């Protein structure tokens, strides 16, 4: 009974604030925008900058006309080094007059395309990357919710709860339960929005719902453990952020697990993101 009352009180405190509803509304839009940007960036495997005029660019475009994974664009001489550093172009081509040199450049570009394709095959799909980002975000958000339990202790709320016959364990369970419900509503809203509006999200509706439940359970329990260990609101949030970022890296969000050094591949087994994504 005590656990239920704590859950009820926490949910009332959470949903009485208009900002909560704005978060629920905005996060799906942010996730969809992020997914769209990622899709646009990763549509082409290799980006080539051509120094010269439009005729030169068209010449190279005709050479690779049958390969949709290679994008040809005009590069500016004054910014070509900066463009390569920031990743705008994978390679810069000067005007070529010799046929043999042209064939050499073509072979090099195709070889790079093949290497990129191999890495992409081992990397996360768009759907998996969306899920991984979602887990990372909510590992932190869940900790923010649960860490309010520390504030209740400091303000004497838990002491009054104990005087009424409640136990510390039931109070924490109430926080886990209310966090689970709050996170579940938000996560399911995001996942269903992705399912309906994001073409790159290729997960069935049933599995989408199941993934939402699993994410909510995992992040709620994770938050409870972090808060239980740190026992300080600020420390809990900082620790959760650091662990979430590390889990995201080890889970393969940014670099494919198969491309990691041996030690990181071994450590990746502790990342909850890796196992949640594997369900897809």
């Amino acid at each position: 009974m005590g656990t239920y009352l704590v859950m009820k009180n926490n949910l009332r405190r959470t949903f009485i604030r208009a900002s909560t509803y704005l978060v629920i509304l905005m996060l799906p839009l942010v996730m969809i925008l992020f997914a769209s940007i990622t899709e646009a960036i990763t549509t082409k495997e290799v980006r080539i900058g051509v120094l010269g005029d439009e005729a030169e660019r068209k010449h190279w475009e005709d050479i690779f006309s049958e390969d949709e994974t290679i994008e040809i664009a005009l590069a500016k001489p004054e910014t070509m080094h900066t463009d390569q550093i920031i990743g705008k172009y994978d390679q810069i081509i000067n005007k070529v007059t010799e046929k043999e040199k042209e064939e050499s450049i073509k072979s090099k570009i195709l070889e790079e395309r093949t290497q990129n394709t191999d890495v992409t095959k081992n990397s996360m799909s768009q759907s998996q990357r969306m899920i991984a980002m979602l887990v990372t975000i909510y590992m932190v958000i869940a900790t923010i919710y649960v860490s309010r339990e520390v504030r209740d202790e400091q303000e004497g709320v838990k002491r009054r709860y104990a005087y009424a016959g409640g136990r510390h364990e039931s109070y924490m369970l109430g926080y886990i339960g209310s966090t689970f419900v709050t996170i579940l509503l938000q996560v399911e809203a995001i996942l269903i929005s992705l399912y309906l509006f994001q073409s790159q999200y290729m997960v069935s509706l049933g599995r989408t719902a199941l993934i939402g439940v699993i994410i909510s359970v995992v992040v709620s329990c994770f938050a409870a453990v972090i808060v239980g260990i740190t026992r300080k609101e600020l420390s809990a949030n900082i620790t959760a952020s650091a662990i979430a970022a590390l889990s995201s890296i080890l889970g393969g969000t940014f670099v494919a697990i198969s491309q990691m050094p041996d030690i990181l591949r071994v450590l990746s087994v502790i990342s909850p993101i890796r196992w949640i994504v594997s369900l897809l």
Side-chain angles (χ1 to χ4, degrees):
M1 184 64 181
T3 299
Y4 168 75
L5 292 176
V6 174
M7 282 184 59
K8 181 179 178 181
N9 182 59
N10 287 342
L11 290 171
R12 182 182 61 80
R13 286 194 299 178
T14 298
F15 289 102
I16 202 171
R17 300 173 183 174
S19 59
T20 301
Y21 295 98
L22 290 177
V23 169
I24 295 175
L25 175 64
M26 292 302 297
L27 275 177
L29 300 178
V30 172
M31 288 296 296
I32 292 171
L33 178 61
F34 169 80
S36 299
I37 293 173
T38 305
E39 178 184 354
I41 293 174
T42 58
T43 298
K44 301 292 183 180
E45 299 285 352
V46 179
R47 295 176 294 277
I48 306 299
V50 178
L51 294 174
D53 53 20
E54 178 61 24
E56 184 73 8
R57 187 201 68 80
K58 186 68 169 60
H59 171 71
W60 283 100
E61 190 175 69
D62 291 340
I63 291 176
F64 297 107
S65 60
E66 296 182 1
D67 196 327
E68 296 182 354
T69 63
I70 297 177
E71 182 179 22
I72 308 294
L74 277 177
K76 298 180 180 179
E78 60 272 18
T79 62
M80 64 177 182
H81 297 298
T82 303
D83 290 340
Q84 280 190 287
I85 291 172
I86 65 175
K88 183 176 180 179
Y89 301 118
D90 297 296
Q91 186 172 332
I92 300 291
I93 301 177
N94 286 303
K95 188 171 183 178
V96 179
T97 56
E98 299 175 14
K99 189 67 176 177
E100 291 182 0
K101 191 174 181 180
E102 182 178 290
E103 289 298 324
S104 175
I105 293 174
K106 179 180 177 181
S107 299
K108 184 177 179 181
I109 292 173
L110 291 176
E111 181 181 351
E112 182 173 351
R113 190 279 314 274
T114 301
Q115 292 175 350
N116 288 356
T117 300
D118 291 339
V119 171
T120 301
K121 287 179 180 178
N122 293 320
S123 301
M124 286 185 177
S125 65
Q126 286 287 74
S127 301
Q128 291 173 323
R129 185 166 286 108
M130 293 175 201
I131 297 297
M133 293 298 296
L134 200 60
V135 178
T136 304
I137 292 170
Y138 274 100
M139 287 173 75
V140 179
I141 292 177
T143 305
I144 294 173
Y145 284 139
V146 177
S147 64
R148 292 186 304 189
E149 184 261 354
V150 177
R151 194 186 313 168
D152 287 353
E153 184 175 40
Q154 295 170 344
E155 294 175 352
V157 177
K158 286 184 64 177
R159 186 164 54 251
R160 293 192 294 272
Y161 178 78
Y163 289 156
R167 299 174 59 187
H168 169 77
E169 293 80 7
S170 66
Y171 199 86
M172 179 57 83
L173 283 174
Y175 257 95
I176 295 174
S178 61
T179 300
F180 167 77
V181 173
T182 303
I183 297 296
L184 180 65
L185 292 175
Q186 296 182 20
V187 169
E188 293 291 5
I190 294 170
L191 292 178
I192 291 174
S193 297
L194 291 172
Y195 174 81
L196 294 175
F197 303 113
Q198 179 49 246
S199 61
Q200 290 296 306
Y201 185 77
M202 305 297 291
V203 184
S204 66
L205 184 59
R207 183 165 292 189
T208 291
L210 176 60
I211 290 293
V213 173
I214 293 174
I215 290 175
S216 303
V217 170
V218 169
V219 300
S220 299
C221 293
F222 164 81
V225 170
I226 296 299
V227 172
I229 293 174
T230 59
R231 299 311 301 161
K232 290 184 179 180
E233 194 170 359
L234 180 60
S235 297
N237 295 333
I238 293 175
T239 303
S241 299
I243 294 176
L246 181 61
S247 296
S248 185
I249 294 171
L250 293 177
T253 305
F254 305 104
V255 179
I257 294 176
S258 61
Q259 304 297 320
M260 292 180 181
D262 293 341
I263 183 63
L264 293 184
R265 282 206 298 271
V266 173
L267 292 175
S268 70
V269 300
I270 66 175
S271 171
I273 292 176
R274 172 179 176 175
W275 302 113
I276 291 175
V277 167
S278 68
L279 296 175
L280 301 180

